[in-house]
Amino acid sequence: MVMPSGTVSDKHKKLIRRGELFQMILPPSYPGSSFLQKIGQRFINKAQKLEKKYRQAKYFKAKKGVCISAGGFIFNRAMVKEYAPKYSKGMPLGTSQDNGSGIRLGQSVGGRTKHMDRVTAWRFLNPPMSFAKGMVVNKDGKRFCNEMVYGATLGDEMCENNDGKAYLILSEELFKSSKLEAAKSLPFQRDAAKMLMTFNAVKRKNVDDLAKVYGINGDNLKESIHQYNESAINDDYCFLGKASKDMKKIDAPYYIMDISIDSRLSPLPTLTLGGLEVDESTGNVINSQGKAIKGLFAAGRSAVGVCSNIYVSGLSIADCVFSGRRVGKSIGEII
Ligand SMILES: Cc1cc2nc3c(=O)[nH]c(=O)nc-3n(C[C@H](O)[C@H](O)[C@H](O)COP(=O)(O)OP(=O)(O)OC[C@H]3O[C@@H](n4cnc5c(N)ncnc54)[C@H](O)[C@@H]3O)c2cc1C
């Protein structure tokens, strides 16, 4: 389906742009965001009316092959619940067209999918560096990851093995230095840290009261803080491989912040990594018998790619370039 070029198409683009602008001002879980979402939706509804009235069906005959490259499915919440339920409370990251239509199209002609449960979840603590010098525990009051690791590694550990629950604990000294460091960070990092510290942080004088804030196991939390402090003062690495130079002793009063997947004030960005299974040498979509479907190819996040098992920054985009070129080469070689 395409919109004919000209004034209607220009108006359509303008409405979509304006609608998306309103919807992107605040993350959808922030208080006050639903108002902005509604205003944005009004522009998008108008654009959709134009679409219904003026769009035209156009048919193209592909002589050699077709490549599905329509993004992932993070905005199709039903698909996320079906394939990757551990991530269904995360904040979708991408474009609204990451709705799985490409993957579904491939499936409709027998394409097999893989790694559909794999999603990358980004819980970046640093900056401010003092956040990462603090301690993160799960609902059981236990540490589960070196807080200095890359954000997608922490997010993965949180969601895969800890029910998406995580709480950041800081001493007053770390809390104060976090404020100073956040002020010097990039605006998007500064604002996220400020939101957490201003509206999410709860201060408590002792560990028993601290544990009660989020119903965390108090005995385990006491033990975790004790172990953390031991590692911080010894010139060594803790059991999770964090160096003592990266740890600061955590004394009362304590601050706790909810950084779980369902934290409204600290939304967890997520994007899907699985898709149509392809022949690794050609990009040809594979069917349920493991055979290539003639003439059907897939690339980018509609397909399984280099980043599908685990993501690090750059790996998805690099795979999009690589997989797109692979398909181009394969189709070019078809006689
Ligand atoms: C804020 C942000 C930061 C990111 N940072 C990084 C990073 O640092 N490193 C990294 O590797 N990745 C990063 N990513 C992820 C990366 O950008 C995406 O994984 C990648 O762009 C996906 O590319 P794609 O071509 O598969 O899909 P897309 O870029 O989503 O393109 C798909 C296109 O298909 C169109 N489309 C969808 N459905 C249909 C349909 N039915 N018919 C016709 N057209 C359709 C869409 O409109 C879109 O134009 C980031 C993403 C975001 C949102």
Side-chain angles (χ1 to χ4, degrees), residues 1 69-72 93-102 105 120 122 150 271-273 299-303 307 311-320:
M1 291 286 188
S69 184
L93 183 72
T95 76
S96 55
Q97 295 307 302
D98 285 318
N99 57 15
S101 57
L105 184 64
T120 180
W122 300 350
Y150 168 67
L271 64 94
T272 60
L273 301 174
R301 292 293 55 79
S302 295
C307 61
Y311 168 94
V312 290
S313 291
L315 209 51
S316 180
I317 288 178
D319 174 70
C320 289

Side-chain angles (χ1 to χ4, degrees), residues 277-302:
E277 193 178 347
V278 292
D279 178 323
E280 285 188 23
S281 55
T282 60
N284 227 163
V285 176
I286 300 289
N287 68 15
S288 56
Q289 284 86 47
K291 298 227 165 76
I293 299 173
K294 197 173 169 224
L296 185 64
F297 298 82
R301 292 293 55 79
S302 295

Side-chain angles (χ1 to χ4, degrees), residues 39-228:
I39 298 179
Q41 195 56 45
R42 284 171 68 172
F43 288 106
I44 290 170
N45 289 346
K46 278 187 190 169
Q48 283 172 344
K49 269 192 189 157
L50 286 182
E51 255 173 66
K52 266 196 182 157
K53 196 167 171 191
Y54 294 103
R55 70 185 171 192
Q56 296 168 349
K58 286 211 170 169
Y59 297 92
F60 300 88
K61 187 167 182 185
K63 288 188 182 151
K64 293 185 174 182
V66 167
C67 176
I68 295 175
S69 184
F73 63 90
I74 199 68
F75 273 85
N76 184 327
R77 305 312 286 167
M79 275 179 86
V80 174
K81 268 196 185 148
E82 179 187 348
Y83 293 107
K86 286 179 180 170
Y87 298 87
S88 64
K89 290 183 179 149
M91 180 179 80
L93 183 72
T95 76
S96 55
Q97 295 307 302
D98 285 318
N99 57 15
S101 57
I103 295 171
R104 288 295 195 219
L105 184 64
Q107 286 178 310
S108 73
V109 291
R112 185 162 83 182
T113 56
K114 206 174 169 187
H115 294 306
M116 294 289 276
D117 58 336
R118 296 299 295 136
V119 168
T120 180
W122 300 350
R123 178 54 79 216
F124 287 92
L125 293 180
N126 162 30
M129 179 57 97
S130 291
F131 272 7
K133 288 190 173 174
M135 189 178 108
V136 172
V137 295
N138 60 17
K139 193 91 180 168
D140 216 17
K142 293 181 177 168
R143 284 179 69 221
F144 55 88
C145 195
N146 177 344
E147 293 81 0
M148 281 283 166
V149 295
Y150 168 67
T153 307
L154 178 57
D156 195 60
E157 196 54 45
M158 252 173 77
C159 296
E160 285 298 317
N161 303 319
N162 293 281
D163 297 326
K165 293 288 180 191
Y167 306 93
L168 174 63
I169 295 171
L170 302 180
S171 62
E172 185 140 57
E173 188 191 341
L174 281 176
F175 192 77
K176 282 184 178 164
S177 50
S178 297
K179 277 191 174 168
L180 297 175
E181 291 160 15
K184 292 181 202 151
S185 307
L186 293 171
F188 76 97
Q189 294 163 330
R190 176 198 64 204
D191 295 345
K194 273 191 173 176
M195 274 304 276
L196 255 183
M197 286 187 279
T198 312
F199 298 111
N200 187 317
V202 180
K203 184 179 176 181
R204 288 291 181 265
K205 285 186 186 139
N206 60 62
V207 180
D208 287 326
D209 289 346
L210 188 74
K212 281 182 197 145
V213 176
Y214 291 110
I216 296 169
N217 182 314
D219 291 338
N220 288 344
L221 185 59
K222 262 184 212 158
E223 182 55 26
S224 296
I225 293 177
H226 172 71
Q227 276 186 19
Y228 194 84

Side-chain angles (χ1 to χ4, degrees), residues 67 69 298-300 318-330:
C67 176
S69 184
D319 174 70
C320 289
V321 175
F322 160 72
S323 59
R325 286 170 64 96
R326 176 175 60 188
V327 171
K329 186 168 176 282
S330 301

